[in-house]
Amino acid sequence: MNYQQRIADNENLRLEKLTQKGKKNITIIYDNFVSPPTYGDLFNVVMLARHLALLGHSLSFYIICKEYRDDWGPLIKQKTESKFIEEQVKLVTVLTHGLDVKIDILKWSEYSTHLSSTDNEDITLFHELIKARERIYHYCFNLLNLMMDRAPVNILNYTLLRYNDLSQEINTQINNSYITWHCRFSKKWDFIRNLSQDNFIEIYQLLRTAFPNDRILIVSDEEGCNHFKHIAKTNNLQCIFSNDYTKSYIGSGALILGSKFCFAYKTGGVTQFPMFSRIPYVFVVKLMDEYSWDNELYVPWQSNQQVWMHAQEFI
């Protein structure tokens, strides 16, 4: 067991002991001072909140703002950080809809008084790390793996996502059978995970051969869709694109959940949606902060139609 897994295991034991003492209120802090402006890292924390609420806990989910990591720089320069925080709140709201989860945005100074109180009856997840203002999102993924592995089957199934959970985010329905292919392209950061033109053309041919009768839906953000539309048009590749059906990250997730299969090479945060679902997929990934459940499974609920291939380096 490595260091990260040990921290998650210790937190799981602490939660179990406190719950046995009758403590049902849980506080989750997502501190943007030590967290990146990415959807995938927040997604793991929100899915943990969803699971805890389904287990019967009452949650307070606080997003800490006004202080940011260096990698927020491009958003701050473009004055779009507030818009991204709105998207953070929306993600928490949608994925915990109908559950006992209170959501709020606070500055650290507004929350620190609550955090230091010793009389609070709630459980602050990863309390010591939060006090030290250290990141927790990668530990949340490992903690959720532990909890999902031991969860009753009905709670596990309710935690996992379905198309109907998110379908309201799609503007136009796709009537024909389709597969989804997540293609990443960004001029802001993490350029090594951008899909090259050669990769795009080669993978398209492989998917078209494997799924000759299905439409291929490229899932990306506005920048990525426009980039790959140009490549597809230039090379006469028959694709449809997610930004013609939805303008939101959550809507992209709904499109994936409505597909018969999802593929990704050099994945981005949108692949969290199929990972927390039952739809078939193949992902070729380079692991970042998370650790696989074991040598064969990335997550304990993974089926034999859901494949993670670990790439040490990208081509």
Side-chain angles (χ1 to χ4, degrees), residues 34 82 84 101 103 108 135 157 230 252:
V34 290
S82 295
F84 188 80
V101 180
I103 308 159
W108 180 256
R135 60 181 183 157
N157 288 332
H230 175 73
S252 294

Side-chain angles (χ1 to χ4, degrees), residues 179-236:
I179 66 167
T180 44
W181 172 18
H182 172 50
C183 299
R184 185 186 186 279
F185 180 80
S186 175
K187 293 180 180 178
K188 295 186 181 76
W189 46 62
D190 216 358
F191 309 120
I192 193 172
R193 291 196 294 130
N194 285 347
L195 191 67
S196 70
Q197 177 171 309
D198 289 344
N199 285 156
F200 183 82
I201 295 170
E202 181 180 2
I203 293 171
Y204 172 85
Q205 299 297 344
L206 292 172
L207 291 175
R208 176 50 66 216
T209 300
F211 298 93
N213 300 317
D214 298 296
R215 305 178 83 180
I216 298 176
L217 173 67
I218 306 302
V219 179
S220 194
D221 60 13
E222 192 76 16
E223 180 182 27
C225 282
N226 291 335
H227 175 75
F228 293 111
K229 276 181 181 179
H230 175 73
I231 297 175
K233 183 177 180 180
T234 302
N235 293 274
N236 195 29

Side-chain angles (χ1 to χ4, degrees), residues 15 26 29 54 56 58 81 90 140-141 160 172 182 193 197 215 251 260 273 305 314:
L15 280 175
I26 295 179
I29 308 296
L54 285 166
S58 298
E81 71 274 17
K90 184 176 181 179
C140 287
F141 175 80
L160 297 179
T172 305
H182 172 50
R193 291 196 294 130
Q197 177 171 309
R215 305 178 83 180
K260 66 185 291 185
F273 290 98
Q305 292 185 307
F314 289 131

Side-chain angles (χ1 to χ4, degrees), residues 247-311:
K247 300 300 181 184
S248 74
Y249 169 73
I250 299 172
S252 294
L255 289 170
I256 292 175
L257 295 178
S259 68
K260 66 185 291 185
F261 172 81
C262 181
F263 178 80
Y265 172 66
K266 302 185 176 184
T267 64
V270 77
T271 52
Q272 302 300 100
F273 290 98
M275 182 179 75
F276 286 100
S277 80
R278 297 294 190 189
I279 77 160
Y281 60 71
V282 172
F283 297 154
V284 182
V285 302
K286 182 179 179 182
L287 296 183
M288 304 298 285
D289 294 308
E290 298 85 10
Y291 285 89
S292 294
W293 175 245
D294 59 28
N295 291 332
E296 296 182 0
L297 301 177
Y298 186 59
V299 290
W301 59 89
Q302 186 176 329
S303 76
N304 58 8
Q305 292 185 307
Q306 297 175 317
V307 179
W308 286 82
M309 300 174 66
H310 297 178

Side-chain angles (χ1 to χ4, degrees), residues 120-162:
N120 259 309
E121 289 301 315
D122 68 342
I123 306 166
T124 299
L125 208 63
F126 296 106
H127 184 262
E128 294 302 319
L129 293 173
I130 293 298
K131 284 200 300 183
R133 300 200 76 176
E134 295 185 18
R135 60 181 183 157
I136 65 164
Y137 49 86
H138 51 323
Y139 301 126
C140 287
F141 175 80
N142 296 322
L143 175 57
L144 183 55
N145 271 348
L146 286 169
M147 299 187 74
M148 292 277 273
D149 182 58
R150 303 169 187 176
V153 173
N154 65 319
I155 298 297
L156 171 62
N157 288 332
Y158 277 120
T159 300
L160 297 179
L161 300 172
R162 296 161 297 278

